[in-house]
């Protein structure tokens, strides 16, 4: 189990799925030939053939007063997903969460960095044919802009299904707090707007006892985008804005002690951004 300490805050990674290769649909420019020359990606983030390693995981952020799950993966039993392998999943995610010390009824808050399919799934679980909140004691924090965008959108049938089974049930249960993109959650935790991938996308800043970390969400999907910031994700809502965000964030983080914890990063998962020629790389411990 992977765990990091930032002052008084402990962050724990709970994995739902890991994959090697098959990521062309999300980062079309990251071909094997294009990835191989980025040597520092191996072994954590790519294999010797240039295939990207990726992960779908939740990050539990445990502060002295608040226990927060950041992004809730794909979930079990979901249907109507655009990626066939994400339909009808049966993983042991909740058991793994409990094994890590975080039974679902001990969670105080859920933060969705954005409302894509792989960030909201475990918001709900199927009980007697109905979608019910997985974390009954939690407030579910969602960006107001993000929520309204996905509630109104009609074009994307897959995302409509996601909203219906993983967002609407917690909203209707009265558990959702719609927040601004720079919302302060607690003494240690605040949101950072990282727009572009989606209209209301946020990252999470953790500060405690002079230490700092950032949970990325999907303003980048993979560390290869530090070396190649112009590699857009096919899922970016506004690719130009997403690229501006990546550049601004890499410049801000570069050569600082901020621990960057990736929402889809495999292997070491976290590291520090360092300047590398006219781009950046992720230095892992
Ligand atoms: Zn994602």
């Amino acid at each position: 189990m992977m765990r990091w300490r930032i002052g008084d805050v402990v962050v724990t990674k709970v994995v739902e799925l890991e994959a090697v290769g098959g990521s062309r649909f999300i980062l079309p420019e990251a071909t094997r030939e294009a990835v191989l020359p980025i040597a520092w990606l191996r072994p954590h983030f790519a294999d010797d053939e240039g295939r990207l390693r990726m992960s779908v995981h939740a990050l539990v952020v445990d502060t002295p007063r608040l226990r927060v799950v950041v992004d809730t993966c794909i979930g079990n039993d979901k249907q109507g997903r655009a990626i066939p392998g994400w339909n009808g999943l049966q993983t042991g995610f909740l058991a793994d969460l409990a094994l890590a010390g975080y039974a679902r009824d001990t969670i105080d808050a859920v933060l969705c960095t954005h409302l894509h399919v792989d960030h909201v799934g475990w918001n709900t679980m199927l009980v007697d044919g109905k979608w019910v909140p997985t974390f009954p004691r939690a407030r579910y924090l969602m960006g107001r802009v993000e929520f309204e965008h996905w509630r109104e959108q009609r074009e994307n049938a897959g995302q409509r299904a996601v909203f219906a089974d993983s967002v609407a049930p917690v909203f209707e249960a009265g558990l959702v707090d719609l927040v601004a993109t720079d919302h302060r959650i607690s003494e240690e935790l605040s949101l950072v707007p990282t727009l572009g991938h989606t209209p209301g996308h946020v990252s999470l800043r953790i500060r405690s006892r002079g230490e700092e970390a950032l949970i990325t969400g999907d303003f980048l999907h993979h560390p290869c985008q530090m070396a190649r910031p112009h590699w857009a994700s096919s899922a970016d809502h506004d690719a130009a804005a997403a690229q501006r965000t990546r550049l601004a964030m890499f410049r801000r983080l570069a050569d600082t002690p901020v621990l960057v914890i990736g929402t889809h990063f495999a292997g070491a998962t976290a590291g520090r951004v360092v300047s590398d020629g006219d781009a950046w790389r992720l230095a892992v411990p």
Side-chain angles (χ1 to χ4, degrees):
M1 181 174 312
M2 302 196 67
R3 198 158 252 180
W4 303 269
R5 180 173 283 280
I6 302 98
D8 294 333
V9 178
V10 175
V11 178
T12 303
K13 177 187 180 188
V14 180
V15 175
E16 184 184 53
L17 291 181
E18 289 177 325
V20 184
S23 52
R24 195 76 62 79
F25 75 95
I26 192 82
L27 288 169
E29 289 159 288
T31 62
R32 293 186 194 195
E33 299 71 30
V35 166
L36 273 175
I38 312 172
W40 61 265
L41 291 175
R42 301 190 294 273
H44 289 283
F45 310 117
D47 71 4
D48 290 339
E49 275 79 59
R51 297 182 299 178
L52 297 184
R53 299 184 192 278
M54 294 191 73
S55 169
V56 179
H57 52 256
L59 294 160
V60 182
V61 179
D62 202 8
T63 82
R65 279 179 217 85
L66 201 63
R67 186 172 278 182
V68 186
V69 175
V70 182
D71 288 334
T72 60
C73 307
I74 298 158
N76 279 3
D77 301 304
K78 305 287 172 164
Q79 298 295 338
R81 285 2 188 191
I83 296 169
W86 291 2
N87 285 301
L89 272 190
Q90 296 297 325
T91 73
F93 177 82
L94 285 182
D96 292 342
L97 190 67
L99 269 176
Y102 302 119
R104 62 190 180 85
D105 58 357
T106 70
I107 301 299
D108 301 307
V110 173
L111 169 67
C112 299
T113 60
H114 60 302
L115 299 185
H116 274 165
V117 54
D118 51 326
H119 298 260
V120 299
W122 277 111
N123 284 359
T124 58
M125 52 193 260
L126 195 60
V127 177
D128 297 332
K130 283 189 65 178
W131 295 109
V132 302
T134 304
F135 305 102
R137 286 187 49 255
R139 300 305 301 174
Y140 285 71
L141 310 184
M142 300 178 186
R144 179 177 295 279
V145 170
E146 185 73 10
F147 179 89
E148 283 169 3
H149 172 79
W150 292 112
R151 183 174 56 182
E152 302 308 325
Q153 80 86 28
R154 295 283 175 269
E155 302 81 52
N156 183 329
Q159 271 296 128
R160 272 214 314 282
V162 169
F163 194 91
D165 61 40
S166 302
V167 179
V170 287
F171 185 75
E172 284 155 15
L175 300 182
V176 172
D177 290 334
L178 297 177
V179 298
T181 53
D182 60 354
H183 177 68
R184 179 151 190 185
I185 300 171
S186 71
E187 188 186 329
E188 298 91 355
L189 308 180
S190 52
L191 304 185
V192 179
T194 42
L195 311 181
H197 178 58
T198 62
H201 188 278
V202 296
S203 303
L204 180 69
R205 177 190 291 132
I206 303 167
R207 278 185 179 145
S208 177
R209 296 193 182 274
E211 299 186 339
E212 182 169 335
L214 182 85
I215 293 178
T216 57
D218 285 2
F219 82 80
L220 79 167
H221 283 81
H222 189 279
C224 69
Q225 291 169 289
M226 293 180 183
R228 307 284 186 266
H230 56 283
W231 283 0
S233 157
S234 50
D236 284 347
H237 170 78
D238 179 339
Q243 183 175 335
R244 282 197 301 276
T245 291
R246 283 194 295 279
L247 290 169
M249 292 301 288
F250 297 156
R251 285 184 187 123
R252 193 200 292 186
L253 294 164
D255 311 313
T256 72
V258 177
L259 182 70
V260 175
I261 307 174
T263 296
H264 288 306
F265 297 1
T269 309
R272 289 173 171 86
V273 181
V274 295
S275 301
D276 188 14
D278 55 4
W280 299 272
R281 66 184 167 85
L282 189 68
V284 301

